[in-house]
Amino acid sequence: MLNPEDLYELDTDLPELSGPVLLHSLDGFVDAGSTGQLVREHILDALEHRVIARFDVDSLIDYRARRPPMTFDRDHWASYEAPELVVRLVHDAAGTPFLLLSGPEPDRLWEGFTASVLHLVERLGVGLVVGFHGIPMGVPHTRPVGITSHATRPELIDRGTWFDKVQVPGSAAGLLELRLGEAGHDAVGLAVHVPHYLSQSAYPAAAVAALEAVVAATGLELPVDAVRQAAAATDAEIAEQVEGNDEVEKVVRALEQQYDAFAGAAERDNLLAESQDMPTADELGAQFERFLAEQDGPDASP
C-alpha cells in the first residue's frame, strides 16, 4: 500500500485555512452537457486562484488510453500538453478561500488516489467536500433542471431522490465520496439532470443549476450571471429550432407528459418507477437529434 503522501506534492507556502470547502470535478466520467467542465472553467475564469497541490499523473494516468496532445512544427516537436491533476486554492467573490480539485480521472490506483485526497482533506482541515457533474436523463429542456443529490449523511441534503437502489459503473469521484463517509467526513455529490438529446453539447442551464446547488450547499459566493446569460442564449436557440416544427414539438410534448406524470405525482419518488404507454426516452431523443442534425447541416458542430 502506497503512502498517501507519495502521490501528491503540497505547496509549503499556504495561508491558514479554517474548515475550507473542497469542490471536485474530474474529466473522464459521465458529464452530460459538459456540466462539470462549464462550472470549472467559469470558476477559474471568474475568481482568483493558484495551484497548491499536484498529483503524480505518471502513476495515475494511462497515456495510451488518453494520449496528451503534442504539437509538431515543420521539423521538430514544439510542445507537449502534459495532463494535470491538481488542487487549486480559490477565493470566492467575498474573499473566502476554498479548494478545487480538477483534472483527468485516474485510470489506476483509485484506492491510492482516494487515500491521498483523504490525507489532504485531513491535512488541510477541509470541512465539506462537494462533487458535481451532469447525467443524461429522459427529461425535456422545457422543464426545470433537476438534480440528484447524495451525501455521506442524510442531513447534508434536502432534495428528494429520483432513484431507488441501482448499480452503476464506478467512478473515482464516487469512490472518494464513499471513502470519505467511511472515515467520518462530510461529502455531497450533485448529479445534474441534462436532457439526453442535449447531453453531447454544452448545456449552460445545467451549469447554472450546479452552481446554485453548490452555493446552497456551501455558502460560497460564486458568480453565476455570466453562465445564466449563456444559458438564456442557448435556451433561445433551442426554442427557435423547435418552434413551428410539428414533429419535434410532438417529441417535446411527449417528454413533458412523461416528466409531469412522474414528477407531479406525490406518491412516486422517481422518474423511472413505472412504464408509460408512449415512446421511450431513447426513441424520443433519437428523433430530436435527427431534427437538430437536419437543421444544422452535416458539417455543423453540436
Side-chain angles (χ1 to χ4, degrees):
M1 183 68 178
L2 288 172
N3 184 330
E5 293 182 86
D6 290 343
L7 282 181
Y8 73 88
E9 293 183 357
L10 181 64
D11 196 334
T12 57
D13 181 23
L14 291 177
E16 185 174 344
L17 300 172
S18 178
V21 170
L22 169 63
L23 306 183
H24 66 91
S25 174
L26 303 177
D27 291 324
F29 187 51
V30 177
D31 189 28
S34 300
T35 303
Q37 177 184 341
L38 290 173
V39 171
R40 294 193 309 267
E41 291 176 350
H42 174 67
I43 287 175
L44 297 179
D45 286 344
L47 300 172
E48 175 189 349
H49 61 88
R50 67 181 176 94
V51 174
I52 63 167
R54 295 181 182 275
F55 285 88
D56 180 9
V57 291
D58 266 357
S59 298
L60 298 171
I61 302 301
D62 180 354
Y63 290 98
R64 292 193 300 175
R66 290 182 284 180
R67 295 181 183 272
M70 299 180 67
T71 300
F72 185 80
D73 187 1
R74 298 188 65 184
D75 59 0
H76 68 284
W77 290 108
S79 65
Y80 167 61
E81 295 182 27
E84 289 189 319
L85 182 54
V86 301
V87 176
R88 290 180 172 87
L89 176 63
V90 191
H91 289 81
D92 74 359
T96 302
F98 66 96
L99 306 172
L100 174 62
L101 167 62
S102 62
E105 179 187 43
D107 295 299
R108 52 190 306 273
L109 297 179
W110 278 12
E111 290 290 3
F113 171 70
T114 55
S116 295
V117 177
L118 177 58
H119 188 271
L120 263 176
V121 163
E122 295 175 345
R123 187 171 178 177
L124 299 177
V126 170
L128 176 65
V129 178
V130 180
F132 49 87
H133 67 114
I135 58 174
M137 293 282 284
V139 295
H141 66 279
T142 53
R143 293 294 184 263
V145 176
I147 296 180
T148 293
S149 302
H150 41 87
T152 53
R153 292 190 296 116
E155 298 82 3
L156 295 173
I157 54 176
D158 58 4
R159 301 172 184 270
T161 179
W162 292 62
F163 296 97
D164 292 320
K165 187 174 182 178
V166 60
Q167 189 174 69
V168 299
S171 67
L175 181 61
L176 174 60
E177 185 176 318
L178 176 65
R179 295 292 183 246
L180 285 167
E182 292 172 345
H185 294 281
D186 286 346
V188 173
L190 304 168
V192 183
H193 303 168
V194 176
H196 58 74
Y197 51 83
L198 300 173
S199 63
Q200 298 301 314
S201 305
Y203 188 55
V208 171
L211 280 165
E212 291 177 343
V214 168
V215 168
T218 65
L220 293 171
E221 294 189 24
L222 304 179
V224 186
D225 287 348
V227 187
R228 285 199 183 105
Q229 292 172 8
T234 300
D235 291 346
E237 189 174 328
I238 295 170
E240 183 179 352
Q241 294 192 43
V242 171
E243 186 177 4
N245 185 287
D246 292 339
E247 179 183 358
V248 75
E249 286 182 345
K250 182 179 180 181
V251 169
V252 173
R253 282 197 301 271
L255 280 173
E256 289 172 342
Q257 292 168 7
Q258 180 173 266
Y259 179 100
D260 294 341
F262 291 109
E267 67 273 15
R268 295 169 184 161
D269 291 327
N270 75 70
L271 285 177
L272 309 178
E274 300 178 14
S275 61
Q276 294 288 322
D277 186 17
M278 62 176 62
T280 68
D282 286 341
E283 291 168 345
L284 295 169
Q287 293 177 34
F288 202 103
E289 287 175 322
R290 284 196 299 272
F291 165 75
L292 294 180
E294 291 169 358
Q295 297 297 109
D296 292 338
D299 298 325
S301 59

